[in-house]
């Protein structure tokens, strides 16, 4: 477990504790709010400090927004991977969009709750639900924000064919399709890297952090397969 030593009484405290459990002294930095611009920079150029800025912040601002953006990106992934426009649907795209976004929000919240409980048991400390949601939201910060602008580019390049396999975007323009899919992959891989590092900060174990990350990705994959069955694809 990642610990902090109290400078006054030398007691060992959980890394997220603001005050020493023994003497009540301040033992770490305290941030009131999260500056999104600074976090975007820190998570690339000063990763450890960026993680601290997020987890040590009193107000986990932007988390709801980032959660919605991530759910939108996962919805777009569901539509792309299933070639949604090639499917025979009994529901309008607009209604389906709301259902799928709501589904992904619920899945992320549920996974966060389960992982929060498990991690709390492992470290033997109270680990707040908001903290784990923040870890997920900010790990996928670039995928959510830059991925949204990348989606706009994809629509500009391929229009509605981005959600169709007839023809596929690779048949329309192979190199442009390869470029945008590669950018999507880079954003996903960096998000996975951030998630692992957030978990290492809490767990102080690369193996456990990788296992939790793999479990999270599997649950997202399983959730996508389940969703496709629910909507009849």
């Amino acid at each position: 477990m990642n610990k902090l030593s109290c400078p006054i009484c030398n007691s060992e405290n959980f890394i997220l504790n603001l005050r020493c459990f023994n003497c009540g002294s301040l033992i770490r930095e305290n941030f009131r709010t999260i500056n999104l611009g600074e976090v975007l920079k820190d998570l690339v150029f000063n990763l450890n400090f960026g993680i601290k800025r997020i987890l040590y912040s009193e107000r986990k601002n932007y988390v709801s927004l980032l959660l919605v953006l991530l759910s939108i990106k996962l919805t777009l992934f569901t539509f792309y991977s299933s070639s949604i426009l090639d499917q025979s649907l009994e529901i309008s795209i607009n209604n389906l969009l709301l259902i799928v976004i709501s589904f992904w929000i619920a899945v992320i919240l549920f996974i966060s709750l389960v992982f929060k409980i498990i991690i709390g048991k492992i470290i033997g400390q109270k680990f707040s639900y908001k903290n784990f949601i923040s870890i997920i939201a900010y790990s996928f910060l670039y995928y959510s924000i830059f991925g949204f602008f990348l989606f706009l580019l994809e629509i500009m390049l391929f229009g509605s064919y981005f959600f169709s396999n007839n023809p596929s975007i690779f048949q329309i323009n192979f190199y442009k399709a390869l470029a945008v899919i590669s950018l999507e992959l880079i954003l996903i891989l960096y998000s996975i890297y951030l998630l692992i590092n957030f978990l290492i900060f809490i767990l102080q174990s690369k193996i456990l952090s990788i296992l939790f990350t793999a479990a999270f990705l599997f649950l997202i994959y399983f959730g996508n397969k389940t969703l496709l069955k629910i909507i009849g694809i």
Side-chain angles (χ1 to χ4, degrees), residues 8-155:
I8 305 300
C9 67
N10 293 321
S11 298
E12 287 191 333
N13 290 264
F14 179 44
I15 190 69
L16 297 185
N17 287 0
L18 177 61
R19 294 183 178 274
C20 176
F21 76 93
N22 185 47
C23 67
S25 302
L26 285 171
I27 57 175
R28 64 162 173 83
E29 309 100 312
N30 185 36
F31 300 96
R32 296 297 300 274
T33 60
I34 297 173
N35 183 301
L36 190 59
E38 291 179 355
V39 165
L40 282 166
K41 178 184 67 176
D42 289 337
L43 290 180
V44 173
F45 299 107
N46 195 354
L47 179 55
N48 193 56
F49 181 73
I51 290 173
K52 287 182 178 180
R53 185 193 293 274
I54 293 164
L55 294 180
Y56 287 175
S57 175
E58 291 181 19
R59 293 182 58 197
K60 310 296 185 187
N61 42 321
Y62 301 110
V63 167
S64 297
L65 173 62
L66 292 175
L67 178 62
V68 171
L69 286 176
L70 176 57
S71 299
I72 291 173
K73 275 297 296 180
L74 289 172
T75 297
L76 296 175
F77 170 76
T78 298
F79 285 2
Y80 170 76
S81 64
S82 63
S83 301
I84 195 70
L85 294 183
D86 297 338
Q87 309 298 327
S88 299
L89 300 172
E90 298 180 357
I91 186 173
S92 70
I93 289 294
N94 288 337
N95 289 336
L96 183 61
L97 187 65
L98 292 174
I99 291 171
V100 177
I101 290 174
S102 300
F103 173 86
W104 281 121
I105 290 174
V107 166
I108 295 170
L109 292 176
F110 176 74
I111 293 174
S112 297
L113 177 61
V114 172
F115 278 27
K116 172 259 181 188
I117 294 171
I118 296 173
I119 290 175
K121 295 290 185 182
I122 290 174
I123 63 180
Q125 298 283 339
K126 290 183 178 180
F127 187 62
S128 76
Y129 186 41
K130 186 181 291 185
N131 267 329
F132 198 85
I133 295 175
S134 299
I135 288 174
I136 297 298
Y138 279 95
S139 292
F140 289 85
L141 174 69
Y142 299 101
Y143 180 65
S144 301
I145 294 178
F146 295 119
F148 180 78
F149 290 106
L150 180 58
F151 167 68
L152 297 179
L153 175 62
E154 290 161 347
I155 292 301

